[in-house]
Amino acid sequence: PGFSAFERTTIRPALTVTGLAGGYLGAGSKNAIATHAKARLSFRLVPDQDPVRVQRALVSHLAGEVPRGCRLVVRPQAAVKPVAIARGAPVLAHAAAAFETGFGRTPVWLRAGGTVPAVSWLHELLGAPIALMGFASPDDRMHAPNERMSLGAIFAGALTSADYLTRLATTQRLAT
């Protein structure tokens, strides 16, 4: 409550089921009861959430829901801390100017969540300023089957990237 649909699907914490498997999936009908099931889950965390603590809380909750005669096996893949990029960061001003060069217009600023481990590591270990720049259109179906990107967006993205790196190379010091 209190958050728009856009905010709930982009910047709020989330648990996403990215894969499910279990039971008979072959041709024809089968009334056999599945002997196992698998789920692949992903968290979208927000600042001040600890990925290990969130993971433990989920495992603890699931363990309390396991029916008698069944067992729960959890195989964690990664635990990446969330990063919030300050809107006023100098790297974002350079990114905005580069987008104007590459795409011929001012970028639309969107705050969105996602898991990019390198961002967390660069931010945490090096204190490096971060600018995430997307070049795809909303209808490109990013991370979905038949994902695509137009040649125009690829060329504009390459020009934007080159301009951005040039701007960074000619800047004395970037504050985070």
Side-chain angles (χ1 to χ4, degrees):
F3 294 96
S4 71
F6 177 76
E7 290 169 324
R8 287 193 306 266
T9 59
T10 59
I11 64 170
R12 300 296 301 150
L15 172 61
T16 305
V17 178
T18 60
L20 284 173
Y24 179 73
L25 300 172
S29 63
K30 194 69 105 170
N31 290 331
I33 297 172
T35 59
H36 70 279
K38 293 181 182 183
R40 182 173 295 267
L41 308 174
S42 178
F43 289 101
R44 178 176 58 236
L45 304 180
V46 296
D48 299 325
Q49 282 190 303
D50 179 334
V52 173
R53 189 168 171 228
V54 170
Q55 186 180 73
R56 285 183 186 146
L58 176 69
V59 171
S60 176
H61 172 76
L62 293 175
E65 300 296 323
V66 176
R68 185 177 305 180
C70 295
R71 66 185 175 106
L72 172 69
V73 177
V74 177
R75 294 184 183 98
Q77 299 292 309
V80 180
K81 291 184 179 178
V83 174
I85 300 167
R87 175 63 182 84
V91 293
L92 294 185
H94 288 309
F99 268 98
E100 289 184 33
T101 299
F103 284 86
R105 51 180 72 124
T106 304
V108 174
W109 295 103
L110 296 175
R111 183 172 170 207
T115 303
V116 183
V119 170
S120 180
W121 301 329
L122 288 169
H123 181 76
E124 187 175 331
L125 298 175
L126 303 178
I130 307 293
L132 296 175
M133 301 162 60
F135 305 127
S137 296
D139 65 342
D140 285 344
R141 299 179 296 274
M142 293 186 308
H143 306 305
N146 297 320
E147 176 179 32
R148 69 173 180 86
M149 190 175 205
S150 72
L151 286 176
I154 292 171
F155 293 133
L159 181 58
T160 301
S161 298
D163 187 75
Y164 177 68
L165 292 173
T166 300
R167 290 173 188 278
L168 290 181
T170 58
T171 301
Q172 293 266 326
R173 182 171 184 266
L174 291 172
T176 56

